[in-house]
Amino acid sequence: MTLNPLPIASLFTHDPDRLATLRIDQSGMLFDWSKTHLDPARIASGIAQLNKAGLTDARARLFSGEAVNVTEGRAAEHIAERGEGAPDSNMRAARCHARMQAMVEAVDAGLLGDIRHILHVGIGGSALGPQLLVDALGRDAGHYEVAVVSNVDGSALAEAFRRCDPHHTLLIMASKTFTTIETLLNAHSVIEWMEEAGVEDPYGRVIAVTAAPQAALDWGVDESRILPFSETVGGRYSLWSAIGLPVALALGWEAFGALLDGAAEMDRHFRDTPSTRNVAVLAAIADRFYVEDMGCQTRAVFAYDERLRLLPPYLQQLEMESNGKRVTLDGQSLAGPSAPITWGGVGTDCQHAVFQLLHQGMILSPIEFVAVIEPGHDLDEAHHRQLLVNCFAQGSALMTGRASNDPARDYPGDRPSVTILLDRLDPRTLGALIAFYEHRTFVNAVWLGINPFDQFGVELGKQMAKAIERDGTAGLDPSTAALIERAGL
Ligand code: F6P
């Protein structure tokens, strides 16, 4: 690890404007980089690096719907889902949203039966976004009970079956490609579960959300219940599309609209704000500084709010599937590290589990605290006060440390953290927060010169699983063959 010559705490005395430079209010959130090693010189050199890497041009190409996903020859148009993309793409997305809204109204009106439970089956980007949003915002919504099942492990589905009544359950099959084995198998088992319970027309209770409508039709879903979205919306960027259907059902259409509006506001901020005040750009400059100059291989996100407990796993897919790459856009090997490992948890639990290493361990991991000023409950205000006090105390302790003559009790300090403080957790603010993470991921990719929109790394394992199903252990390495034999497959 390269040690930084100037400790973070000392930067406040060197620069009286530090707070003004490194804190930005945007979309109901305060972004605070003052407890990191960023300073005006580092920001300037990061901006120069990004200019050299062609950020302005790359961003313009993203927003105008050009084929920025070069390895798959298509655009990346999650921004159009928020109405901020190319005009034609915005219109296409709006048409899909109109169909989605009509579906929400049909379900609410009881046209698909007396629905009380939503069983959303999907995996990766087809599950993590809806799961995060329903968990964060749908706790008191009361419209429907939503269960999201992703894992092919039958224990996951069995748990959902215990929570749902087959006679009052709507199945949402969410799969961009409609080829994902986990999702198809889980959906098949849901149909069987309904059949066994005597549901008259289980297929009449299925809505498919996909960019491959023909495959959904072939699977047996009626055309009137297929909600399409564009092929140009990537899986981990898809919660804004019809993939967000359980969110719109659980929270209502107005709330879903507010989510899109919040994201659109962040899109405009990212597109129009100079780099020195642009939250996605500053975040990416800090990200690359800690990876490249300080040798950090991980970055930790701690949500000091139970409602955001699924934010770390959501960000793991967004950041690691997007930027965990090893070649540049023109196929050259990267000279240095790409994305660090994203990990994290929920505060205050994390303090009593992993913070020992963060305060005194021998590796450095930049930390991000995400907290909300307004509590999400009506309990004694002492709860929320304690939560926020703990969050702020951790950031301060990590930065300032405390010297002791007893080596075991010595805190070296100078450990960086970013704080993102939301005024309140509502659909609009959460939409803006997630869009911020998307743009930050994009700026990291521009810096690295990589394509954040493909994910070929996940394919080999899938192909090998298929080969094992087809050929057994033939041609397999001895270790894996022995495991398969031992498991009796
Ligand atoms: O295996 C990775 C992946 O392709 C993700 O990128 C995607 O979000 C997930 O699988 C699910 O894919 P689909 O929506 O096509 O079922």
Side-chain angles (χ1 to χ4, degrees), residues 122-126 174-180 183 229 234-236 243 317 321 455 458-459 462:
I123 198 164
S126 293
S175 176
K176 178 177 173 181
T177 56
F178 228 79
T179 58
T180 304
T183 301
F229 64 95
R236 55 196 171 275
I243 291 289
Q317 190 203 20
E321 196 164 85
Q455 60 284 318
V458 303
E459 292 306 322
K462 290 185 198 172

Side-chain angles (χ1 to χ4, degrees), residues 396-417:
S396 183
L398 285 159
M399 176 176 73
T400 56
R402 182 168 293 168
S404 168
N405 293 332
D406 176 353
R409 290 182 169 78
D410 184 70
Y411 297 84
D414 204 30
R415 307 208 163 194
S417 68

Side-chain angles (χ1 to χ4, degrees), residues 50 73 96 105 111 148 155 223 263 323 383 396 436:
L50 281 167
C96 290
E105 285 164 5
L111 299 185
V148 177
S155 303
E223 198 177 359
N323 288 344
H383 285 275
S396 183
F436 153 74

Side-chain angles (χ1 to χ4, degrees), residues 226-248:
I226 298 175
L227 293 181
F229 64 95
S230 170
E231 175 103 315
T232 57
V233 176
R236 55 196 171 275
Y237 300 88
S238 65
L239 63 85
W240 323 100
S241 72
I243 291 289
L245 179 65
V247 182

Side-chain angles (χ1 to χ4, degrees), residues 99-115:
R99 272 187 79 152
M100 184 183 168
Q101 183 179 4
M103 187 65 80
V104 171
E105 285 164 5
V107 176
D108 284 349
L111 299 185
L112 275 76
D114 178 8
I115 302 300

Side-chain angles (χ1 to χ4, degrees), residues 100-101 104 108 137-138 141-144 244-259 427:
M100 184 183 168
Q101 183 179 4
V104 171
D108 284 349
L137 302 169
H143 285 257
Y144 303 97
L245 179 65
V247 182
L249 284 165
L251 307 180
W253 188 255
E254 207 179 308
F256 189 74
L259 181 87

